[in-house]
Amino acid sequence: MQNNTFSGLFIGHNLITLKEVDSTNTFLKDAVSKSTPLLDGTVIMAEKQFAGRGQAENLWQSEAGKNLTFSILLNPSFLAVDRQFDLNKAISVALNDVLIKYIPESAFIKWPNDLYIHTKKIGGMLIENIVQGNKIKYAIIGIGLNVNQEYFPTNLKNVTSLKQELHQDYDLLGLLGEICSTVEARYLQLKGGSLKKINDEYLNLLYLKDQWALFKFDGRIQNGKIIGITDIGQLILETEHETRVFNTKEIEFINN
Ligand code: BTN
């Protein structure tokens, strides 16, 4: 579908909107595995996901029709497999670019995949890559952003939405268009080799960077200070005794 909401060069020009689907990421994954021809930058958006997926096999819960739940298909064949976290950084920074327009100075990127406003989660990303040789053939960028939802189930702690923060409703398609053109700009920046700019902004926006906070690792709660991220996306933490590097499953944030 050609449309005017999408002002970029390619992301969102082919927009498929679904009333209901298990997960927009799964939909795209299935399409790719069946070799369905889909344009680079195709976006699948769902009003309702009945099996939305989050990080670490969590469910992604989102009230139908209130929020953005969508996936973007990209062909980042310029990206080697061991550089896949660069894409995560570019997309995180892009989403933050959009959020700070609405809520200046309060939007952060929480490693590895969360979008935060102050100390609450407003959205998350689930990036799934399909690899060929040592390159990424397809990247499925799943994004969930809480927009107009006012009330959240009690099991979801520490979450927020644009509406909770700013007390007004937003047009979902307009916001999707804004996100797609911003993601495209950052993606092209990455493709054009400006990784340093993306890296610097990512580190500037990193939640709890350079602050002592509580984390759980090695089976107990301990103090740590985030001081950076490795090239392959591991968290670098200063602890009371040494500097350590963690993969996602090896460390938890406490109270945050
Ligand atoms: C997370 O924070 O755990 C990541 C959440 C990602 C959710 C989005 S919603 C659209 C896309 N489809 C899915 O099933 N998940 C992603």
Side-chain angles (χ1 to χ4, degrees):
M1 187 210 296
Q2 203 69 34
N3 52 69
N4 298 325
T5 314
F6 297 86
S7 58
L9 296 171
F10 68 107
I11 296 184
H13 284 207
N14 184 34
L15 170 68
I16 300 169
T17 49
L18 304 170
K19 277 247 158 258
E20 197 175 337
V21 71
D22 50 357
S23 144
T24 54
N25 265 39
T26 308
F27 182 96
L28 269 181
K29 250 178 148 175
D30 289 349
V32 166
S33 74
K34 290 180 196 137
S35 305
T36 311
L38 283 173
L39 292 171
D40 194 14
T42 291
V43 173
I44 311 290
M45 177 194 189
E47 261 178 50
K48 176 178 175 183
Q49 294 187 122
F50 52 84
R53 296 187 285 114
Q55 285 296 315
E57 270 123 70
N58 286 323
L59 283 178
W60 182 253
Q61 301 178 60
S62 177
E63 192 180 334
K66 296 267 178 170
N67 302 314
L68 283 175
T69 46
F70 65 101
S71 304
I72 307 171
L73 180 69
L74 293 173
N75 303 145
S77 45
F78 61 93
L79 211 57
V81 178
D82 61 355
R83 301 298 318 188
Q84 49 188 293
F85 200 75
D86 294 349
L87 187 60
N88 177 311
K89 284 191 238 176
I91 309 292
S92 305
V93 170
L95 293 170
N96 196 278
D97 289 340
V98 175
L99 286 174
I100 51 172
K101 284 197 217 153
Y102 292 84
I103 311 177
E105 290 170 31
S106 306
F108 301 97
I109 297 164
K110 183 180 172 200
W111 177 86
N113 293 88
D114 293 348
L115 301 164
Y116 261 45
I117 298 295
H118 302 290
T119 58
K120 291 182 176 174
K121 178 162 171 167
I122 194 165
M125 303 181 317
L126 178 65
I127 302 185
E128 298 182 290
N129 294 317
I130 292 137
V131 168
Q132 193 172 53
N134 78 331
K135 299 281 181 202
I136 300 174
K137 188 168 185 210
Y138 295 107
I140 296 169
I141 319 278
I143 297 170
L145 185 69
N146 299 330
V147 183
N148 296 324
Q149 184 163 346
E150 274 182 282
Y151 307 104
F152 290 90
T154 47
N155 69 310
L156 288 185
K157 303 217 163 29
N158 227 26
V159 290
T160 192
S161 62
L162 282 182
K163 175 130 194 196
Q164 271 202 1
E165 298 294 322
L166 300 169
H167 313 290
Q168 66 179 88
D169 282 304
Y170 292 87
D171 170 50
L172 292 178
L173 205 56
L175 190 58
L176 177 68
E178 213 178 312
I179 292 173
C180 287
S181 52
T182 312
V183 165
E184 182 176 300
R186 290 293 184 178
Y187 178 69
L188 294 178
Q189 195 173 34
L190 177 68
K191 195 173 177 181
S194 302
L195 181 62
K196 185 172 179 329
K197 266 193 192 149
I198 293 171
N199 265 337
D200 291 350
E201 295 207 34
Y202 183 89
L203 286 178
N204 266 336
L205 297 165
L206 198 58
Y207 182 66
L208 288 181
K209 177 155 184 295
D210 296 327
Q211 296 170 45
W212 286 97
L214 291 176
F215 297 87
K216 186 169 178 191
F217 52 92
D218 300 341
R220 55 197 179 87
I221 294 175
Q222 309 182 49
N223 277 309
K225 184 166 76 172
I226 296 173
I227 55 171
I229 304 288
T230 66
D231 280 353
I232 58 165
Q234 298 154 309
L235 189 75
I236 310 173
L237 195 80
E238 189 176 314
T239 70
E240 279 158 3
H241 313 287
E242 59 189 333
T243 299
R244 299 264 307 264
V245 165
F246 292 94
N247 293 307
T248 37
K249 288 181 184 148
E250 298 167 347
I251 184 161
E252 268 173 55
F253 289 68
I254 301 294
N255 303 327
N256 291 293

